[in-house]
Amino acid sequence: DADAWKNQVSFELVEAPEGATLDSQSGQFRWTPTEEQAPGRIEVRVRVAEKGEQKKTHEASFWVMVAEVNSPPEIESIEDVTLDPGEPLRVTVRATDPDHPPAGLRYELGRAPKGARNDATTGELLWTPGEPDAGKVVKFTVRVREDGIRPKRTDISFQASVNKPARPRDTVIADLEQQGLEVVWREDNFEHKFQGQGSALIVNGEEARNVEYAEPDSARQDANRLATRREALQMAELPDSWAGPVQYLQRENVLLVYGGLNQEVYEKI
């Protein structure tokens, strides 16, 4: 009778690893090794004692072989970033090996734009976006690999959004639209002697021209020259729709040129 036998003896652990248990009645041994206990050869020693007056005992040992389970590296999450052209991106990928003892880790660039580089030891990633990257969303993938035989690896990805710098005309267009005008920009590099880049704005169906400058000082210089020697910067060809006097109006980095007869357009420009 198994139950009768169980009532005649009791079990206890003499030597066992941390976390192990032994049912004193059934003799069932339970233990789940931790990462710190692997790999290893663990001895378990058990004592069996009779119940009753004689209380004879007997001890026996067995060994548990704990194998190493190689887990992949764990990487801290990386948030997406937003930056401007010319602004350096500096991100440090942080990873750990959960195994005991931990293996050495190496960092590798997977997917990355031209010019990006990383430190294989520290995980630091560097990249500086250029003007061609403006308005783009650039994706990065970094691979963390263990040193040693049959290494495990973990990949992590994030993305960098590169801002598209506002052009001088964007501010002018937004201001005109806020005043209730319908504005359409049109690339039209008309012949001129200004220091900036010329294009056309169609405002409520009326053509105006704008000259964009990298710096407001250049726009002011041209505006001053117009005030003293307008003929020096006079445009060779004017739109057919211009029947009035040609007006030159400076707004920060932009010089607006208009020669139409629409009073509302002229006043709001």
Side-chain angles (χ1 to χ4, degrees):
D1 188 333
D3 293 334
W5 175 81
K6 288 180 182 179
N7 293 330
Q8 295 176 15
V9 297
S10 62
F11 303 87
E12 65 175 313
L13 285 174
V14 178
E15 183 177 345
E18 183 178 356
T21 62
L22 181 68
D23 189 290
S24 62
Q25 299 299 317
S26 66
Q28 186 177 56
F29 175 77
R30 293 180 181 274
W31 177 52
T32 301
T34 63
E35 181 65 41
E36 290 73 17
Q37 293 168 318
R41 184 170 179 263
I42 310 296
E43 182 181 10
V44 179
R45 191 167 185 83
V46 179
R47 178 182 298 122
V48 182
E50 288 183 334
K51 296 181 180 180
E53 296 181 357
Q54 295 185 359
K55 293 185 179 180
K56 292 182 179 180
T57 63
H58 178 74
E59 293 185 4
S61 298
F62 61 93
W63 297 86
V64 179
M65 306 302 296
V66 182
E68 175 65 46
V69 176
N70 189 17
S71 301
E74 296 177 352
I75 306 177
E76 295 182 13
S77 62
I78 301 176
E79 294 185 357
D80 295 337
V81 296
T82 301
L83 67 166
D84 297 320
E87 179 184 354
L89 170 67
R90 187 186 300 269
V91 174
T92 299
V93 181
R94 305 184 187 279
T96 56
D97 181 16
D99 296 324
H100 184 80
L105 300 177
R106 295 190 65 80
Y107 301 83
E108 305 170 358
L109 267 183
R111 182 176 182 176
K114 184 178 180 181
R117 64 187 187 279
N118 79 303
D119 189 304
T121 303
T122 65
E124 184 179 56
L125 184 153
L126 300 173
W127 178 62
T128 301
E131 290 297 333
D133 300 304
K136 296 181 180 178
V137 176
V138 183
K139 295 185 178 180
F140 293 83
T141 299
V142 179
R143 178 174 298 120
V144 183
R145 189 189 303 273
E146 295 177 332
D147 291 332
I149 302 173
R150 296 181 180 178
K152 291 289 186 70
R153 81 177 199 195
T154 303
D155 294 354
I156 190 168
S157 298
F158 68 97
Q159 62 186 28
S161 300
V162 184
N163 292 323
K164 189 174 184 179
R167 296 159 298 191
R169 65 173 176 268
D170 293 337
T171 303
V172 173
I173 291 174
D175 180 55
L176 293 176
E177 289 178 337
Q178 190 173 11
Q179 296 182 67
L181 298 176
E182 182 179 339
V183 185
V184 178
W185 176 82
R186 186 181 72 200
E187 187 174 2
D188 183 7
N189 192 16
F190 54 88
E191 183 179 348
H192 62 82
K193 297 180 181 179
F194 299 106
Q195 300 178 59
Q197 179 71 35
S199 61
L201 291 181
I202 310 302
V203 184
N204 277 16
E206 292 275 335
E207 181 173 350
R209 288 177 174 176
N210 73 304
V211 183
E212 299 181 56
Y213 298 82
E215 299 293 338
D217 286 346
S218 299
R220 281 192 288 269
Q221 289 173 10
D222 278 354
N224 291 334
R225 291 172 65 193
L226 284 166
T228 56
R229 295 182 58 200
R230 174 168 293 197
E231 69 279 359
L233 297 179
Q234 185 70 44
M235 291 177 292
E237 296 183 4
L238 301 178
D240 295 335
S241 62
W242 287 7
V246 178
Q247 304 291 332
Y248 297 88
L249 310 167
Q250 183 208 347
R251 301 181 68 171
E252 296 295 332
N253 294 41
V254 173
L255 192 65
L256 291 169
V257 188
Y258 179 64
L261 296 176
N262 188 312
Q263 189 66 24
E264 181 188 15
V265 172
Y266 172 75
E267 290 178 352
K268 291 186 176 179
I269 285 181

